[in-house]
Amino acid sequence: MLWAGRMRLRTFEILLVLVHTSAACEFGPFPYSVTGIVCRMTKPAALLLNQETAQVIQAAFRNAKFPNITGERSMRLLGKVAYGLTNIQVNDLSIEQSQVELKENDAIHIAIKNVTAFFKGTLTYGYAGGWFLHLFHSVDFEIEASIDLQINIKLMCQKDQVAADASDCYLTFHKLMLHLQGDKEPGWLKQLFVDFISFTLKLVLKSEVCNEINFLAQVLADFVHDLAENFVRDEDISVDISLASGPLIKANYLESHHKGLVLYKNYSDVFSDSVFFPSLLTESRMLYFWLSEHILSSLASAAFLDKRLVLTIRGEKLQALFEMEDTEAQRKAVQMIFQGTSYNNSVAKVWSLAHPQISLQPEGTVVKSLVAVEVSIFPTGEEPLMVLYMEKEITVTIQAAYAEKKLILHPLDSRIEFKVFKCTADPSGNDTSIRNFLQTMISVVGIPEVISRIEQALTSLMNSKGLHLFEIKNPEIITRKGYVIVQLDFSFPNHLLLDFLEKRL
């Protein structure tokens, strides 16, 4: 029986290896030119996440499906003694210590010390022969076990995403005590089952607990991937986070390289060569993200194609723009443009005429865009009348930050070049006062207003993906020529893991 169980376990392991082999990813030679995103998690982050290991191990023990254990043995005078352990389940569990170590180019080693576990179930036994009749008895039992676990988690690529293999798992038993209900059974019977069943019981516990840990490791890896995939998707726009190379384990960090291709309907993203090198990231923060300039530029293009780069301003917002200052030039320009119509009966529409161009530089993100502005009024009882139309090329440098769970975009400087200018109050275009006023208004309040709207929209989008649930500490957004680095420390929200385990198990 035990031999057959070992054969089944060995067959399962062989099948697991074959699945891993068949699902392995193929990559080109290093360095990979399709790397658009790099994620690096350092040793301090691994130590922080290791504090949550107890939750996962407890879930593994409690969710493990322990099979019934049956067997028999010949005893002198008693004849054959048959036994069965059924309804085995975890009654209580505590973990004293957990340690993690990153073994370079090998695995994540997790050592869990002094796990005290209490199992309960029902023991049924019977014997026949000699002086005894056929007798069968059932008694509740409790097993007290003191265990150390060693789990070696290898990271690999399966189906173009990070997969975790925790099949290299060992349990060391320091104590395994069988308590029968009330200890009223004969002493020889208790000794029989302690000596005879312990070995089989250890094999079953090792097999089931380790299988459950391996299952949970992969489920958590899938959960993280799904979380990341959802974060970089909004309606028809998404980013391909498939692996560009196999995940790396170094002595002080874990690192994964992702393609980072922007996907949008029939839009085809063509990637330029990557400029990532490991030396671009340090090891002083918990978490790093490296993003290529190409990703931001492609996202802006997708937003343009999806007609998202459109802004409508009316009422008090419109009034705030045109009345930024109370001067004679301002009053004259407003009178000529709006012709006495109130702001509540007026509307300004701003939209991008072409794909924005984005360039990442040490001083910030440089955005260059051809923008149209149209102002219309609604005279009482009349059709809408367009009173102003202009096209202008705007170049603005923006610095980004993240604080108090909000994205902050700060424009540093801007350049405006008019391409088309039409105003019904000045059809000849000879009155430069209107254009000069608009030039100042756009620079001082127009561009900040547009950037503020983008800032709010992106913050709302990120929060809808659950970013506000994480306690992000001292985040930095650092732009360099051709790429941007986001580096931060964090606290892990314990309730997220608990909610996840409750939903999945």
Side-chain angles (χ1 to χ4, degrees):
M1 184 186 304
L2 187 58
W3 175 82
R6 288 177 176 174
M7 285 298 295
R8 286 194 296 270
L9 183 60
R10 183 61 182 157
T11 302
F12 173 77
E13 290 174 347
I14 292 172
L15 289 173
L16 191 63
V17 170
L18 290 176
V19 169
H20 284 178
T21 303
S22 63
C25 310
E26 295 183 1
F27 305 111
F30 187 84
Y32 310 107
S33 61
V34 291
T35 299
I37 303 173
V38 176
C39 175
R40 175 179 291 186
M41 186 171 71
T42 60
K43 184 75 173 286
L47 293 173
L48 174 68
L49 294 177
N50 184 57
Q51 296 175 10
E52 308 302 324
T53 300
Q55 303 287 353
V56 178
I57 298 303
Q58 287 186 10
F61 271 88
R62 296 186 188 282
N63 201 57
K65 306 300 181 184
F66 300 105
N68 296 335
I69 301 173
T70 59
E72 63 179 23
R73 186 175 183 181
S74 296
M75 298 289 293
R76 186 177 299 176
L77 300 178
L78 295 176
K80 288 184 178 179
V81 178
Y83 65 87
L85 297 177
T86 58
N87 301 321
I88 303 173
Q89 54 186 296
V90 174
N91 190 37
D92 195 14
L93 184 73
S94 64
I95 297 175
E96 184 176 302
Q97 184 182 15
S98 178
Q99 298 174 336
V100 63
E101 183 179 4
L102 305 181
K103 292 289 187 179
E104 187 157 348
N105 301 323
D106 183 15
I108 305 168
H109 289 208
I110 300 177
I112 302 168
K113 302 291 186 181
N114 298 329
V115 178
T116 301
F118 290 88
F119 303 86
K120 66 179 181 179
T122 302
L123 167 63
T124 302
Y125 66 94
Y127 42 89
W131 301 329
F132 293 87
L133 299 174
H134 292 270
L135 299 174
F136 294 92
H137 302 271
S138 291
V139 60
D140 292 336
F141 70 85
E142 185 179 68
I143 299 169
E144 180 183 357
S146 179
I147 309 168
D148 286 347
L149 282 83
Q150 176 67 49
I151 309 166
N152 303 315
I153 304 175
K154 293 185 180 295
L155 300 181
M156 59 188 67
C157 177
Q158 287 184 27
K159 299 179 181 178
D160 294 328
Q161 69 183 61
V162 176
D165 178 9
S167 58
D168 188 6
C169 167
Y170 303 92
L171 272 68
T172 303
F173 290 84
H174 298 294
K175 179 171 68 174
L176 188 67
M177 297 180 62
L178 178 66
H179 302 286
L180 302 180
Q181 185 183 43
D183 279 338
K184 294 178 181 179
E185 299 301 317
W188 62 264
L189 179 65
K190 181 177 178 181
Q191 189 61 44
L192 166 68
F193 286 118
V194 169
D195 294 342
F196 185 44
I197 297 176
S198 290
F199 178 73
T200 304
L201 186 60
K202 288 178 181 178
L203 286 180
V204 170
L205 292 179
K206 284 182 179 180
S207 172
E208 297 305 319
V209 170
C210 284
N211 284 346
E212 189 64 26
I213 289 174
N214 190 31
F215 169 75
L216 279 176
Q218 186 53 54
V219 168
L220 285 169
D222 291 341
F223 170 70
V224 172
H225 177 271
D226 293 345
L227 198 67
E229 194 171 56
N230 178 63
F231 188 80
V232 293
R233 179 193 297 116
D234 184 51
E235 297 180 1
D236 292 328
I237 302 175
S238 63
V239 178
D240 179 6
I241 57 171
S242 301
L243 286 176
S245 62
L248 304 175
I249 299 179
K250 297 298 183 181
N252 293 316
Y253 62 85
L254 310 173
E255 190 170 278
S256 58
H257 297 210
H258 305 264
K259 293 178 181 178
L261 298 172
V262 174
L263 308 175
Y264 173 72
K265 293 183 178 179
N266 296 325
Y267 172 72
S268 179
D269 192 10
V270 180
F271 215 103
S272 57
D273 289 343
S274 168
V275 293
F276 177 77
F277 297 98
S279 59
L280 296 177
L281 301 180
T282 64
E283 301 169 15
S284 60
R285 306 299 299 273
M286 286 185 174
L287 193 60
Y288 294 82
F289 294 100
W290 177 95
L291 293 91
S292 168
E293 171 185 289
H294 179 83
I295 291 179
L296 300 184
S297 182
S298 296
L299 284 172
S301 294
F304 168 76
L305 293 173
D306 203 41
K307 296 180 172 53
R308 298 193 186 194
L309 304 183
V310 178
L311 176 63
T312 301
I313 306 173
R314 52 168 50 93
E316 293 181 358
K317 286 285 187 180
L318 189 62
Q319 182 178 2
L321 292 177
F322 279 89
E323 294 187 2
M324 62 169 185
E325 58 181 10
D326 185 15
T327 63
E328 182 63 31
Q330 176 265 336
R331 288 191 293 271
K332 177 184 176 183
V334 168
Q335 179 61 35
M336 292 180 67
I337 294 171
F338 292 94
Q339 303 172 21
T341 305
S342 72
Y343 293 109
N344 289 330
N345 292 327
S346 307
V347 62
K349 180 182 177 183
V350 183
W351 71 98
S352 184
L353 293 169
H355 295 247
Q357 300 176 28
I358 292 182
S359 173
L360 294 175
Q361 302 294 334
E363 57 270 20
T365 302
V366 181
V367 181
K368 185 177 181 180
S369 182
L370 183 62
V371 176
V373 177
E374 179 183 281
V375 177
S376 299
I377 60 175
F378 299 85
T380 305
E382 299 181 24
E383 292 294 320
L385 175 66
M386 186 183 71
V387 293
L388 176 66
Y389 177 83
M390 52 186 170
E391 296 177 4
K392 53 195 180 300
E393 187 176 81
I394 297 178
T395 304
V396 58
T397 301
I398 304 171
Q399 284 189 343
Y402 186 84
E404 298 181 352
K405 302 186 183 298
K406 295 179 181 179
L407 179 67
I408 301 170
L409 301 177
H410 178 62
L412 294 182
D413 59 69
S414 60
R415 297 188 300 277
I416 302 171
E417 182 182 350
F418 283 92
K419 299 293 185 180
V420 176
F421 185 86
K422 298 178 181 178
C423 180
T424 55
D426 181 27
S428 65
N430 295 327
D431 190 344
T432 59
S433 63
I434 297 179
R435 187 177 303 197
N436 291 338
F437 166 75
L438 291 172
Q439 175 106 1
T440 303
M441 184 268 286
I442 292 170
S443 298
V444 176
V445 292
I447 292 176
E449 174 63 22
V450 172
I451 290 177
S452 175
R453 296 286 189 96
I454 295 173
E455 180 182 273
Q456 295 170 22
L458 291 177
T459 296
S460 176
L461 176 61
M462 291 189 295
N463 287 342
S464 73
K465 303 297 183 179
L467 184 63
H468 64 293
L469 299 176
F470 292 84
E471 193 61 41
I472 297 175
K473 300 179 179 179
N474 303 320
E476 296 178 89
I477 302 175
I478 304 169
T479 55
R480 294 289 183 261
K481 184 174 177 58
Y483 62 90
V484 60
I485 294 172
V486 180
Q487 56 189 40
L488 55 97
D489 297 326
F490 64 91
S491 295
F492 188 82
N494 180 267
H495 66 279
L496 284 185
L497 180 60
L498 293 177
D499 291 346
F500 164 75
L501 292 174
E502 288 178 2
K503 291 176 181 177
R504 293 295 183 98
L505 301 180

